[in-house]
Amino acid sequence: MVTPPKFLESVVRRLLPPAVREQVLGDLHERYESPLRYIADAASVVPAAIFSQLRRSTPIPFRLLEALIIYISIFAGARVPFEFDRPPDSSQMALLTMVALAGLVWHDIYYVRPPELEVITELKRDFPWLKWIPLRPVRELYTAMFLPCLVLDIVGLLGPSVRALLNLPRGMHLLGLIIASILISSLRRRIGKRRPSVGA
Amino acid sequence: MPNLRLRRVPRIIARATSGGKGPTNAVDGLPNFPYTVRQMARTESTGSFEQLVLAAILSLDDDAYGVSIHAKVERLVRPKSVSLGAVYVTLDRLEDKGMICSRLSEPTAERGGRAKRCYRLEALGEHALRESAVTAKRIWDSIAETWGKDWARQW
């Protein structure tokens, strides 16, 4: 029986959202004839699967609302003196918002929540009110938004000329993203985030 | 007439529904209340590609999954071709609309030990498909009426 090359399969596996990975990899395996055909199939399927997952996870108006929340939160965080040496201008805040939003999108498509630690489960059993504190979702959202912004900061470290050229903001924008994570988490809980996928 | 006592229904509602005399249409010894039957909400509109996918699922019955649906849709749109990705996106959209449902089957060796996601039509999907078939028939009749039955026979 002809099977797809392991390398190609592992690349496609990494690109596919986890919720549809099993079925799509199976379908591609079943259709396999040659490496070229496999690549052509994957090139058609992977973007479609990502797009579909993105549409299913968060509707577009809701995503725009999240973008607005991030922008306002970064704006609010930038008012605190220790956050930036000087407040960023609107284009810098827009850049930060876009980068943080990209992290959020990545999170919604690819993140699979690991099972909760046993200690936490036991604690929640003993103290039921603990489950009302959404520490975990806030932390996950914060990490998703913070990491791409950190990349932006690292790029800025290449030198003042790079920073000026790309008009990068200076600072870690910690506070703004914390505010955004709390707001988005509570918004998602309130509105009811759509299921990530049926296959999840 | 048994003496029916209203339970868990506020008196004001009981009066409103039975003209103030309590329920009179009890047939099973339990109080029954009149209710309004509303017309079922209209089905969401379906695009032509969605109709093709629904038709493919209907004809494939229990064997409707990504690859087989794609093959069937390609046969339906001959000589055009359809990408596998477009079929996946449409399947997801139809599932979100509640027209189809899916389940994961057992993994098989021919798929590298991976499961299939099998799809099935829901009542809403069947309704939408029926509606589009009726519309297609009307279009067909209308064209045949204008261009003549000879043209229709060629097809």
Side-chain angles (χ1 to χ4, degrees), chain A residues 89-158:
Chain A
D89 59 37
S90 55
S91 65
Q92 287 176 331
M93 286 198 296
L95 179 67
L96 275 177
T97 303
M98 272 165 35
V99 171
L101 198 67
L104 208 58
V105 167
W106 180 89
H107 172 270
D108 287 346
I109 295 173
Y110 288 106
Y111 183 72
V112 181
R113 182 177 277 189
E116 200 170 50
L117 290 175
E118 227 169 90
V119 186
I120 309 263
T121 315
E122 279 173 18
L123 268 175
K124 278 186 181 172
R125 203 180 306 130
D126 295 340
F127 307 100
W129 53 268
L130 268 180
K131 64 181 171 203
W132 293 103
I133 306 173
L135 274 182
R136 196 179 192 199
V138 169
R139 178 174 54 77
E140 287 169 353
L141 289 179
Y142 179 75
T143 312
M145 289 191 286
F146 174 73
L147 288 179
C149 290
L150 186 66
V151 172
L152 209 63
D153 284 337
I154 292 168
V155 172
L157 288 177
L158 292 175

Side-chain angles (χ1 to χ4, degrees), chain A residues 19-27, chain B residues 88 104 111 115 117 119:
Chain A
V20 294
R21 204 170 271 164
E22 170 94 356
Q23 80 216 47
V24 172
L25 279 175
D27 284 355
Chain B
Y88 282 127
L104 276 179
R111 296 169 58 84
R117 180 163 290 281
Y119 294 89

Side-chain angles (χ1 to χ4, degrees), chain A residues 1 9 13 19-31 37 41 44-45 48-49 51-53 55-56 194-195 198-200, chain B residues 65-68 70-71 74 83-86 88-89 91-96 102 104 107 109-117 119:
Chain A
M1 198 170 78
E9 220 173 22
R13 168 190 289 277
V20 294
R21 204 170 271 164
E22 170 94 356
Q23 80 216 47
V24 172
L25 279 175
D27 284 355
L28 290 177
H29 191 283
E30 196 178 323
R31 277 169 63 91
R37 164 85 186 263
D41 276 350
S44 142
V45 167
F51 166 75
S52 192
Q53 196 60 23
R55 188 186 57 78
R56 287 184 121 185
R194 273 197 187 182
R195 62 192 170 154
V198 181
Chain B
Y65 67 101
V67 174
S68 67
H70 175 255
E74 280 219 312
S83 75
L84 190 57
Y88 282 127
V89 173
L91 285 170
D92 284 350
R93 198 166 49 235
L94 288 172
E95 199 168 19
D96 290 344
S102 70
L104 276 179
E110 63 175 9
R111 296 169 58 84
R114 296 188 185 93
K116 285 178 194 169
R117 180 163 290 281
Y119 294 89

